[in-house]
Amino acid sequence: MTLRELRCYIRQLPTGSRTRIATGDKDSIWGLQEHLTAVVIDELRTANWQRSNEGVEKRKQSSPPKPVPRPGVGGGRADKNSPQRLQARQRALQRAAERKRALAAGEIT
């Protein structure tokens, strides 16, 4: 069996199977029912927040509720210290330094 065949077999497993979860498939942790329940919870929390702040000055209102975190859904900002972000930042700094050097040497104007 090739690795490709094995990957295809794993993808065909049921969404809640331990093998899919162990391979890092975060989408399989929650099914449709769980996602819909999270949406209902978010809507109820927002509605309660709106009612509790009704008639209150804008500056005295509480902050709106944050949505229920969902696995496999990128809902937040990227980690500032992630390896990809640090690598992209390092490349940008190198390009800026190279451009500054070329400007100082008169290679570009």
Side-chain angles (χ1 to χ4, degrees):
M1 177 183 310
T2 65
L3 287 177
R4 184 173 185 266
E5 289 174 327
L6 178 62
R7 186 173 58 237
C8 290
Y9 284 127
I10 290 174
R11 284 187 181 166
Q12 297 301 317
L13 289 171
T15 56
S17 68
R18 291 182 186 267
T19 305
R20 281 186 71 174
I21 294 171
T23 58
D25 185 11
K26 293 183 179 180
D27 294 335
S28 67
I29 295 173
W30 278 19
L32 178 62
Q33 187 68 37
E34 287 82 4
H35 280 283
L36 291 175
T37 303
V39 169
V40 169
I41 291 169
D42 289 342
E43 293 300 320
L44 286 172
R45 290 171 64 192
T46 302
N48 288 334
W49 171 77
Q50 288 173 340
R51 281 193 295 279
S52 68
N53 287 316
E54 189 175 345
V56 179
E57 292 180 36
K58 181 74 172 171
R59 61 184 175 90
K60 292 185 178 179
Q61 290 183 359
S62 61
S63 58
K66 294 182 179 175
V68 173
R70 293 157 174 84
V73 177
R77 295 188 300 200
D79 181 18
K80 290 185 178 182
N81 296 323
S82 70
Q84 295 84 5
R85 186 172 171 137
L86 291 175
Q87 188 178 30
R89 181 168 164 40
Q90 188 63 32
R91 284 194 309 262
L93 290 172
Q94 288 173 350
R95 285 193 309 271
E98 187 65 30
R99 180 166 173 78
K100 190 181 281 187
R101 185 204 54 79
L103 282 170
E107 297 171 6
I108 58 173
T109 57

